[in-house]
Amino acid sequence: MTSTVPVVTDISYQDLLDDPYPIFRRLRETAPAVFVETAKLTLVTRFDDITKIERDPATYSADNPTSLVNKVMGPTFMRKDGAEHATGRKAIEPSFRPATIKEHWAPRFIAICQRLIDALADAGEADLFGALAAPMASLSLMEMIGFEPMPWQPLAAWSQALIDGAGNYAGDAEIERTAMQAGAAVDAAIEAVLDQHRSHPNPSILSSMVNADPPMSIEAIRANIKVIIGGGLNEPRDAILTLVLGLLQNPAQKRTVLAKPELWPAALEEAVRWISPIGMYPRRVTRSVDLSGVTLPRDLQIGLCVGAANRDGKRFADPDSFDISRPKQSHLAFGAGPHFCAGTWVSRLTVGKIVGPMLFEHLRNLRLRDDAPPIVRGWVFRGPVSLPVRWDA
């Protein structure tokens, strides 16, 4: 027997931002899909349901004209299905080939990380958000996209404004205005280099787009670069910080990883399961359908809360704990199905094989500050926004 989607009206948006996990637990226990009034969205929070949805793009479509991503960034291939989505991914594929990542991008990322850590080493303390994670993610992405060199801060500010706009389910007018301004700045940065990439093909994403067969339209380039700036900067930034936070809060696990460097990749996977940087993304229901006993009507907008699914106790034992020794199981931090994150392998390389190992190797006795606790925030996108640390300089 099916039922209608229940409605929850007593959740504050601030509580979602501060700590969504008790709310996610309540929603998982309530129903397969729950309309949360403050988010103006029906949220799906169970692991098995989201996995099922991602395997059925015909019923649960990413092509969602009313999506905030479309409003802020334009029509991107991330909000398309089938051939349109495949064509968009194919256009950027040359920049993400394993050989290109290993031979072209890895040496550049190592050099960026080394410069940032060298600049920190003598200080003895820093907030790793602004001192390492944000500049590392920004400078690396700047190179991958193919923008003209610039300080790391503008790209990071554009990314934050765009993801704030894409997650603006509370309808804040100032957040929308700032996101639109960032979008215009991105368009200008693209325009400044596009002819150069057209005439001199190279491994950058813009070069791949403009030299694809057929070439991507300028409207599609603008929209897709904005999506890449949003997810491609905040995801590795927050993964770096979450990985460090998880290890510093669990000294025994830190000692294990430092003694067995082959565990770094597993530590990264656990970090993004524990606090998923991209915590929710939307889908549109194309026909009336039953989801585990609840009827979802046609054209309903739903939010897939992978941040909730990755703490589903029916999938993961002791899900709220950071535990690098847990049995290997797939998670949803990088998405699933046709929309599995194109930058997954870049993130795994950057965070799990470069930044994590180099940071702990070069900053001896890295530790949290007792007088300045870390701050973690967000639900659509979630991660540490402040991670003050000390080390032996």
Side-chain angles (χ1 to χ4, degrees):
M1 183 176 180
T2 61
S3 60
T4 57
V5 174
V7 177
V8 172
T9 61
D10 60 348
I11 293 171
S12 81
Y13 205 79
Q14 192 60 49
D15 285 344
L16 270 174
L17 293 174
D18 290 343
D19 183 4
Y21 297 113
I23 295 168
F24 289 160
R25 188 180 309 115
R26 174 186 169 191
L27 297 180
R28 278 196 308 269
E29 293 170 354
T30 299
V34 179
F35 182 80
V36 177
E37 188 175 74
T38 190
K40 304 182 179 68
L41 199 62
T42 297
L43 301 182
V44 179
T45 53
R46 298 175 184 174
F47 189 96
D48 289 346
D49 289 332
I50 293 178
T51 301
K52 176 182 176 182
I53 286 169
E54 287 290 61
R55 290 173 178 165
D56 186 5
T59 303
Y60 304 96
S61 177
D63 189 351
N64 188 353
T66 65
S67 163
L68 285 174
V69 170
N70 282 359
K71 182 177 182 179
V72 170
M73 304 179 190
T76 79
F77 71 84
M78 288 299 296
R79 291 293 172 262
K80 299 292 183 183
D81 292 313
E84 286 184 287
H85 175 256
T87 299
R89 283 187 77 112
K90 183 181 177 183
I92 67 170
E93 185 267 337
S95 302
F96 292 89
R97 288 173 181 155
T100 305
I101 294 170
K102 181 179 178 181
E103 297 165 13
H104 186 80
W105 298 123
R108 286 163 170 76
F109 297 164
I110 291 169
I112 292 168
C113 189
Q114 191 64 63
R115 288 200 308 271
L116 292 169
I117 291 176
D118 286 347
L120 280 179
D122 293 337
E125 66 179 46
D127 187 331
L128 291 183
F129 182 96
L132 178 70
M136 179 70 205
S138 183
L139 294 169
S140 300
L141 186 62
M142 201 182 301
E143 288 231 11
M144 282 202 76
I145 290 174
F147 281 155
E148 290 180 342
M150 59 178 154
W152 67 267
Q153 290 91 341
L155 191 65
W158 299 342
S159 175
Q160 193 62 53
L162 290 169
I163 66 171
D164 286 348
N168 185 26
Y169 289 91
D172 187 299
E174 180 61 20
I175 289 175
E176 181 179 341
R177 186 189 67 80
T178 304
M180 294 304 182
Q181 282 185 333
V186 171
D187 291 344
I190 292 169
E191 192 64 34
V193 296
L194 212 54
D195 286 344
Q196 173 188 334
H197 290 302
R198 188 177 286 113
S199 57
H200 297 89
N202 59 78
S204 73
I205 296 169
L206 278 172
S207 180
S208 293
M209 286 177 167
V210 79
N211 292 298
D213 183 19
M216 204 177 259
S217 70
I218 185 61
E219 293 79 14
I221 289 173
R222 289 169 177 164
N224 288 314
I225 289 295
K226 287 167 193 169
V227 161
I228 289 167
I229 289 173
L233 197 152
N234 83 289
E235 191 277 335
R237 178 199 68 197
D238 294 350
I240 290 167
L241 295 167
T242 297
L243 173 61
V244 175
L245 177 63
L247 292 175
L248 294 185
Q249 287 184 337
N250 296 274
Q253 295 184 52
K254 181 187 80 169
R255 290 192 294 270
T256 298
V257 171
L258 296 185
K260 298 179 179 179
E262 66 273 16
L263 293 178
W264 276 109
L268 167 63
E269 299 300 323
E270 174 62 1
V272 297
R273 180 211 64 82
W274 179 52
I275 300 177
S276 302
I278 299 176
M280 189 280 288
Y281 47 86
R283 291 289 183 262
R284 176 177 58 88
V285 181
T286 63
R287 62 181 178 86
S288 180
V289 65
D290 176 275
L291 178 69
S292 299
V294 170
T295 299
L296 304 182
R298 179 180 176 180
D299 287 332
L300 180 69
Q301 310 295 316
I302 60 174
L304 307 188
C305 285
V306 294
N310 284 334
R311 293 204 187 189
D312 187 337
K314 292 185 178 179
R315 171 73 177 181
F316 304 100
D318 192 16
D320 294 325
S321 296
F322 176 85
D323 180 6
I324 64 170
S325 68
R326 69 173 63 248
K328 186 175 181 180
Q329 283 181 292
S330 61
H331 56 73
L332 294 170
F334 297 115
H339 287 271
F340 186 74
C341 176
T344 297
W345 303 109
V346 174
S347 185
R348 283 171 169 162
L349 168 78
T350 305
V351 182
K353 296 185 177 180
I354 295 175
V355 181
M358 288 179 69
L359 181 66
F360 282 89
E361 177 184 350
H362 291 282
L363 302 185
R364 293 182 301 114
N365 191 24
L366 188 66
R367 57 198 184 273
L368 295 171
R369 286 177 52 179
D370 294 333
D371 59 329
I375 301 170
V376 183
R377 187 172 295 137
W379 73 283
V380 177
F381 301 89
R382 185 167 180 82
V385 296
S386 180
L387 187 57
V389 295
R390 287 196 174 101
W391 60 91
D392 298 340

